[in-house]
Structure formats: structure tokens, C-alpha cells
Amino acid sequence: MTLHSVAQSWARACAAALVGVALTVPARAAPADYRFELVTQEAKVGEAVLTVRLTDTRSGQPVTDAVIFAKRIDMAPDSMDEMTSTLAQLPSTEPGLYRFKTKLTMAGGWRLSLGAKVQGETGTVSDRLVFRAVP
């Protein structure tokens, strides 16, 4: 064997090893790989329960183990950012659904802002969802 053929064999072995390692290490998702969406785009004024679905956009599968750590509801769509309401998380009724109890004090555009951590992923999944409160 020549030095050149030994070097080529060594390079091929290293490349194969790197491919093997790449195939065994699970790929990490980015926060952009997840999406919140409102189940309904309208809610009645007064006591309301808002339901949000969190989906892994790569697979279309629901995300069941997210920890919602930031939540806010306000009337920013109607230029009233200071008009807020209380927001309490409720137990989920099915995988991938996250529910929140609030009191919508007036009709108009409302924004639900959420921040979450998905188990096993780095980064924060966040979104601002707009819906209408109707009489």
C-alpha cells in the first residue's frame, strides 16, 4: 500500500464514521418549528375559555409536554395595549391543547401572547394570536 492509498482509506473511514454519528444524534428543533394556533377565532364577551393548539410543524403532531411560562391577553389589535385581563391556565382536555380562562370585558380585537418551553428543545416558542370578542 502506498501512503496515498492509506490516506484515502483513512479519509473514507472518517467520513463514514461522521455520517454514522450524524444519523444517531437526534436533530434539535428550532422554536420556529412549533406553532400555536387558536382553535376558534371568536369568543363571547364575559367569562371565556380560549383553547390553543401547539403543533410541531415538521411532523404536524401535537406537542403535549410544553410548559407555558408566559401568558398575556390584551386589546392591542384595537390599539388598546393597556386594556388587559386576567388569564389562568386550565387542564388540557386532549393532547396538544392548552386552555386558558379569561374575562373579556368588551367586544373587539384581542391578542393572546404565549411563551413556552418544549421538553428536550432549546429556545422559547412564542406567538401572538389575534381573535375577536363578540357580544
Side-chain angles (χ1 to χ4, degrees):
M1 272 187 138
T2 67
L3 183 59
H4 180 67
S5 64
V6 169
Q8 281 183 327
S9 295
W10 177 251
R12 273 186 246 135
C14 287
L18 287 174
V19 168
V21 168
L23 293 175
T24 59
V25 174
R28 292 261 183 221
D33 291 327
Y34 298 95
R35 185 180 71 211
F36 281 108
E37 59 185 10
L38 286 161
V39 172
T40 59
Q41 299 299 310
E42 287 187 347
K44 293 267 190 196
V45 170
E47 295 291 325
V49 174
L50 306 174
T51 304
V52 176
R53 180 176 290 113
L54 180 57
T55 306
D56 182 332
T57 60
R58 298 165 301 163
S59 65
Q61 295 298 309
V63 177
T64 59
D65 57 357
V67 176
I68 310 290
F69 67 88
K71 51 192 173 291
R72 175 184 164 92
I73 190 163
D74 59 45
M75 289 193 76
D78 285 353
S79 300
M80 292 187 279
D81 294 40
E82 69 283 347
M83 178 68 93
T84 63
S85 188
T86 59
L87 192 61
Q89 190 166 351
L90 299 172
S92 179
T93 56
E94 62 183 87
L97 293 184
Y98 299 84
R99 300 174 343 127
F100 303 92
K101 182 179 178 180
T102 189
K103 184 170 185 178
L104 303 173
T105 54
M106 63 187 295
W110 286 81
R111 176 179 66 187
L112 175 62
S113 302
L114 298 171
K117 289 286 191 186
V118 174
Q119 301 301 316
E121 302 291 355
T122 59
T124 298
V125 177
S126 61
D127 214 336
R128 294 178 173 178
L129 308 169
V130 175
F131 66 97
R132 296 216 45 87
V134 295

